Amino acid sequence: MTSSESSYADIAASGPAQSAEEARANPVDEVIPTDQSIESLIDVHTGVAVVPSDFKEQEVKTETQAQRLEAEAAAAEERAIKAAEEKKKQTAVEEKEKEKKEPSKAEKKQAVKSNPIVLGNGLGIAIVSIVLGLGAYKKHQAGQLNWKLAGTWGLLMATLAGADYCLSNYLFKKYPFGQKKN
């Protein structure tokens, strides 16, 4: 490289080394406050406001914010009261409609008592019970009642009860006695 093509870094490096004082940066100018400059920043009539040290952690920091939160809480409480009243009215209306649709307990009992399927089941159970009871008594008097015979009669009763259940369900579905058709 020729001297005309040298970089600044090359030229600076070829010169004498700097002393520590020369290498240090120039000092920064300082603003020296005077009493007059501070007075212009403070409003003497309002004074200085001091806040608590936990100010940043507080949820409510201003009076306006506190008023807004109180208003929101009051509005939410009002909405909750209205919703509860509306729910109470709706429940009352539903109860009235339910009472109109459903028959009372007395009506249900009367419907069951006058149902021919229920009456037939009651009569059949009574007749079978009387026949089995008399037959068991006669076998006992004759000394022929044993566990094998009692088990056979029990199995016969279970079979008859199952058949009665199936027949009753079929008849209840086919002839819904005492139920209003819509």
Side-chain angles (χ1 to χ4, degrees):
M1 273 192 196
T2 63
S3 61
S4 63
E5 293 180 14
S6 298
S7 69
Y8 177 78
D10 291 337
I11 297 170
S14 66
Q18 288 182 330
S19 66
E21 190 176 318
E22 291 175 336
R24 191 175 310 134
N26 293 333
V28 178
D29 294 334
E30 291 184 27
V31 176
I32 301 172
T34 64
D35 290 342
Q36 294 172 350
S37 63
I38 293 175
E39 287 177 7
S40 65
L41 297 176
I42 298 175
D43 187 2
V44 178
H45 299 292
T46 59
V48 177
V50 179
V51 295
S53 60
D54 65 342
F55 179 75
K56 288 187 178 182
E57 287 81 30
Q58 292 178 354
E59 282 187 36
V60 180
K61 296 181 179 161
T62 64
E63 289 179 20
T64 306
Q65 188 179 16
Q67 290 170 352
R68 180 182 52 85
L69 290 174
E70 286 175 8
E72 287 176 358
E77 185 176 336
E78 220 173 279
R79 284 192 303 269
I81 290 171
K82 285 182 182 179
E85 289 173 357
E86 189 65 32
K87 178 79 172 169
K88 196 181 285 185
K89 287 178 185 177
Q90 183 66 21
T91 304
V93 168
E94 289 174 0
E95 286 294 324
K96 287 180 183 178
E97 288 178 3
K98 189 175 180 182
E99 287 175 6
K100 289 178 184 177
K101 289 181 182 179
E102 282 191 22
S104 67
K105 288 184 180 181
E107 290 173 342
K108 285 182 182 180
K109 284 182 181 179
Q110 186 60 34
V112 169
K113 285 181 182 178
S114 63
N115 190 332
I117 299 169
V118 173
L119 293 174
N121 283 343
L123 185 62
I125 290 171
I127 290 172
V128 170
S129 297
I130 291 171
V131 169
L132 283 177
L134 288 174
Y137 180 71
K138 286 182 183 179
K139 290 288 185 180
H140 177 65
Q141 291 295 326
Q144 297 174 343
L145 184 62
N146 59 19
W147 284 109
K148 185 176 179 183
L149 183 62
T152 304
W153 284 355
L155 181 62
L156 177 67
M157 281 300 296
T159 305
L160 288 175
D164 179 56
Y165 172 77
C166 292
L167 179 64
S168 295
N169 271 347
Y170 170 75
L171 291 174
F172 276 128
K173 288 179 183 173
K174 188 169 183 179
Y175 307 106
F177 186 80
Q179 295 178 2
K180 296 178 183 177
K181 292 183 180 180
N182 293 336

